[in-house]
Structures are given as C-alpha cells and as structure tokens.
Amino acid sequence: MSDSAFAAGSVSLRIYPHLDLPAPAIVEELRVQAAIAAESGFDGVMTSEHHGGFAGYLPNPLQVAGWLLDVMARGWAAACPLLLPVRPAALVAEEVAWLAARFPGRVGIGVAAGALPGDFDVLDSTMHDLTARFASGLATLTSLLRGEHLGILDGDPALAACALHPVPVLSAASSKVAVRRAAACGAGVLFDSLTTPHRCRELSDAFRSAGGNQPVVLVRRVWAGAPPIRSVDAQLDVYRSYAPVIAPQHWGSDEMISSDDTSTIVDALVGVARRAGADALNLRVHVPGVSPTAAREQISELGTRVVGPVRDALIAIAKHRA
C-alpha cells in the first residue's frame, strides 16, 4: 500500500453517505465501508463536501475523515475536496494539522473553490471574487501545511510538525490556470470523474510544465458487473445542472468503467490513467439509490481483485515517467 495520501500509485475510494438512513446509521455505514476498503486493499479514502443533504454529500468532510481513520486498520483519509473559500485557510490548516497529529502520516486534504450557490448561502458567504479568494486560501493552506510562514501560529505544535512531516494537498482543477496555480503553490491536482482523458492529459501536461511535482489524481466511476445505470444517470443530471460552463465542454458521457470481468476493469483503469497522465486513481462506486449492501460488495470486490494490479501498473508508469 502507498505510504502517504495521494502518493503516486495509490488507488483510493470515495466514501459517500447513504442519506436514506437515519443519521446515526449513516455515520456507522460510512465507518463500516471505510474499514472494508482498508481491509480489502485500498490505499485510502476520500470524503467530499456539500450542504443541506445535497445529492449524497455531507457538510463536514474533515470531521468524517477522522471518524473513518478511527476504524481503518491501515491507510489514509482525506477531506477531498473541502470548499476552501467558505472557511479561513489558517483554520483549515490548524484542523488538518491536528488530525495529522492524531494519525501521523495518514492524513491529506483536497480543496475546491465551489460551484453550488446553495453551499455559500448556507454558510452566509457569497461567490463574489471567488477565484481570488480560493487562490489566496490555497497559497496559505499549502504553506502552513509545510510548516512554513507560520507567523502568529508559530506556537502551534501540530503546524510546526508539518515542517518535518508535511500534509499533502490537492487542488480540484478543470483549467490550465487552475493547474498552474496548484503547481506554484506546491499542491497536487484532482480531476473530476467526468472530464475526458484527453482533457486531463492537457491539464496534467500543463501542470508538470509549470513545475508541478505533486500527484495528479484522477477520479473515475467503476462498477464490477452491471452498473446501476438509472441511478448514475440521475446523479449526472444533478452535476450538469450546476457545473461551471467550462466543465461540460470537457466532460464525456459518463466515463464509467464497468465489466463482469475484473481484469477488464484493471486494464481500463490503467489505460485511462496512462492517457490522462495521472499518477493515482480515486474510485467511486456510490450514487444515491445504491444500497449499503451493494456498496460494501463493490468495495470488497474491487479492493480484493482490482486495486493491487492497478497499483502495480501505476507505480511502473510513474517510474517510467521519472
């Protein structure tokens, strides 16, 4: 398994809540699925943020990451992405650093600017000057999580420890401006599950040309067997309803990889990572409507039969690229 969050060769799982369950059962199911992921071979898990029960998300991905790490026998967890402009970047850095103090070497953080107006309304924020706010926050966050330029936070032991043990950071990116910003800050980049491999390759090449030397992580939907097409299509319609104008221009139809043959899934995942110029993969099986039992079965099947061969291939690709 990969040693740190987002490391080259890592294959991680996206964890989502089953919002049709009562709240305590939602939390318990998240923890069960994370434990299964760790036991079956995934390198880590990621949680992500929206508010108001939107489309199968939770509002507190960093807190959830802590819940999951508590039951994972191995592997890392990351809030990825967390909506950075609605929070002070220094506060995010403090919270991440202290989670890393509890789970040394097992924490990462990914951030996004946000695109859903309701998220900003809930938090009494606005989308005004969003790009500049995100850029400033990303620069602050990455610096603090390397233990640099602590200023009035120089008395914080967890942030000071980041000088020796930095917490890796990803920035969700869908444009060349965004990947160059990440490269300048020392962050890696995260590409969403719908962006085509061709577009991802344009962006990963631009990232590396700008001096980016952190991981390029690609999200992909995957299903062993016949996928729940209606549930997937419904979720994609939700995403298309609010995505920035730039995203659909570079989105494929659904970019899902599915097969009854897990070796076919392995080959497809390795192929898409190679075409996209990705160092690591983050896999998603859950959409609203998928039962907890089905999700658990998918996590176990993919972790046991797909993750290992894909990881080996990604590591070989990374060595060749170097």
Side-chain angles (χ1 to χ4, degrees):
M1 298 181 71
S2 298
D3 294 332
S4 62
F6 319 132
S10 66
V11 184
S12 57
L13 176 74
R14 300 196 76 71
I15 295 279
Y16 291 88
H18 293 267
L19 293 181
D20 52 336
L21 299 174
I26 290 171
V27 173
E28 184 57 28
E29 184 61 30
L30 289 166
R31 286 159 54 87
V32 167
Q33 291 184 20
I36 293 172
E39 291 165 2
S40 63
F42 281 93
D43 293 294
V45 297
M46 295 188 194
T47 60
S48 51
E49 175 181 1
H50 283 302
H51 295 262
F54 175 82
Y57 289 82
L58 287 175
N60 50 342
L62 187 59
Q63 182 182 37
V64 174
W67 296 342
L68 305 186
L69 283 166
D70 194 50
V71 296
M72 293 167 62
R74 59 183 66 83
W76 49 264
C80 185
L82 173 147
L83 303 181
L84 186 58
V86 299
R87 301 171 174 85
L91 177 61
V92 175
E94 289 178 309
E95 292 176 346
V96 171
W98 279 100
L99 184 60
R102 171 65 180 85
F103 298 100
R106 300 180 62 194
V107 173
I109 181 70
V111 293
L116 186 63
D119 288 333
F120 293 83
D121 294 340
V122 165
L123 299 171
D124 291 327
S125 185
T126 74
M127 300 179 75
H128 175 70
D129 207 20
L130 188 59
T131 300
R133 287 159 53 198
F134 178 73
S136 175
L138 180 64
T140 297
L141 180 68
T142 52
S143 178
L144 291 176
L145 290 179
R146 290 193 297 266
E148 299 172 353
H149 310 299
L150 299 186
I152 61 174
L153 294 174
D154 64 359
D156 186 310
L159 284 173
C162 292
L164 292 178
H165 303 287
V167 176
V169 179
L170 294 183
S171 175
S174 60
S175 71
K176 291 183 179 180
V177 170
V179 299
R180 290 168 182 146
R181 178 192 308 125
C185 291
V189 290
L190 177 73
F191 298 144
D192 67 53
S193 65
L194 292 175
T195 303
T196 65
H198 175 75
R199 175 58 174 174
C200 290
R201 186 54 179 259
E202 291 179 343
L203 297 178
S204 60
D205 286 349
F207 174 71
R208 294 189 176 101
S209 293
N213 59 7
Q214 297 301 302
V216 173
V217 182
L218 176 67
V219 181
R220 275 301 177 261
R221 298 167 181 273
V222 62
W223 193 270
I229 293 298
R230 290 185 179 180
S231 295
V232 171
D233 287 346
Q235 185 78 353
L236 298 184
D237 287 343
V238 170
Y239 290 156
R240 292 187 179 102
S241 72
Y242 77 88
V245 173
I246 190 173
Q249 296 174 354
H250 301 290
W251 280 359
S253 56
D254 64 29
E255 297 301 317
M256 172 173 271
I257 292 170
S258 63
S259 176
D260 292 323
D261 179 7
T262 53
S263 64
T264 299
I265 295 176
V266 169
D267 290 344
L269 286 171
V270 173
V272 76
R274 189 189 303 273
R275 295 195 306 276
D279 301 306
L281 288 169
N282 181 233
L283 306 185
R284 175 175 181 171
V285 301
H286 181 271
V287 291
V290 169
S291 71
T293 298
R296 292 184 189 190
E297 290 172 350
Q298 287 291 316
I299 293 167
S300 180
E301 176 80 355
L302 295 168
T304 301
R305 303 186 63 183
V306 170
V307 167
V310 171
R311 181 193 299 118
D312 291 344
L314 290 177
I315 291 172
I317 291 170
K319 287 180 179 178
H320 182 266
R321 184 182 295 124

